[in-house]
Amino acid sequence: MKKVGIVMGSASDLPVVRKAADTLGEFGVPCEVHVYSAHRTPREAGNFARTARENGFGVIIAAAGMAAHLAGAIAANTTLPVIGIPMKSKALDGVDALLSTVQMPSGIPVATVAIDGAVNAALLAVQILSIEDKDLAARLDAHRAAGAAKALAANAEVEAEFNQ
């Protein structure tokens, strides 16, 4: 099975990024987590991206806040799918990171999830990997069914209380 690379621009992003790693773990998808900055360690970030495919990665998740150039810098150095997680910040509540991540030039795509959307980034990575992995696709189907069952149970409780 291909690995997922998770790169964050700062160690302060770890509480959110950990949710992606945990979600991947629930699906049995191996991952590596690194702190590489598009601005402070561009050589290391670029090298990671350029060698990711040969190192067994199938998808890269990149989390960064504020200027949030990390996902784009990673995508510029690989043809693997890159998923950007814009991180919430104090100054603009993460909208700055969202806009930086989603506004990529034609030819260098980055899939972008919600601000602090680490779980969805991991689930999207699982979906991408499941294209070639039937067992992973079955686990994803089971996860979706469990989510639907949970939502329907909540609906039944609400209906029981209000719809007499």
Side-chain angles (χ1 to χ4, degrees):
M1 175 184 298
K2 297 286 187 183
K3 301 181 287 188
V4 174
I6 303 175
V7 182
M8 64 191 115
S10 168
S12 65
D13 299 330
L14 186 55
V16 171
V17 167
R18 187 179 304 278
K19 295 174 187 174
D22 290 347
T23 301
L24 292 168
E26 291 172 16
F27 283 91
V29 174
C31 69
E32 286 185 13
V33 182
H34 302 276
V35 178
Y36 294 134
S37 167
H39 304 106
R40 292 181 293 276
T41 60
R43 186 176 309 129
E44 291 80 2
N47 186 56
F48 174 80
R50 282 188 295 279
T51 62
R53 186 181 303 274
E54 68 192 54
N55 288 325
F57 293 94
V59 180
I60 300 172
I61 296 172
M66 298 167 61
H69 295 116
L70 183 59
I74 295 291
N77 285 286
T78 187
T79 56
L80 290 175
V82 175
I83 303 166
I85 305 173
M87 301 297 293
K88 188 172 185 175
S89 64
K90 293 178 185 173
L92 296 172
D93 224 22
V95 174
D96 49 345
L98 174 64
L99 294 175
S100 293
T101 306
V102 78
Q103 293 293 334
M104 291 300 300
S106 294
I108 309 294
V110 170
T112 307
V113 295
I115 297 168
D116 287 353
V119 171
N120 272 353
L123 290 172
L124 182 54
V126 170
Q127 288 177 318
I128 292 167
L129 295 176
S130 75
I131 292 169
E132 296 292 327
D133 187 325
K134 291 179 182 173
D135 292 334
L136 189 55
R139 289 195 297 272
L140 192 56
D141 287 340
H143 179 268
R144 287 276 180 100
K150 184 177 178 181
L152 290 173
N155 177 61
E157 288 180 25
V158 170
E159 286 180 351
E161 180 179 345
F162 291 100
N163 301 341
Q164 301 297 329

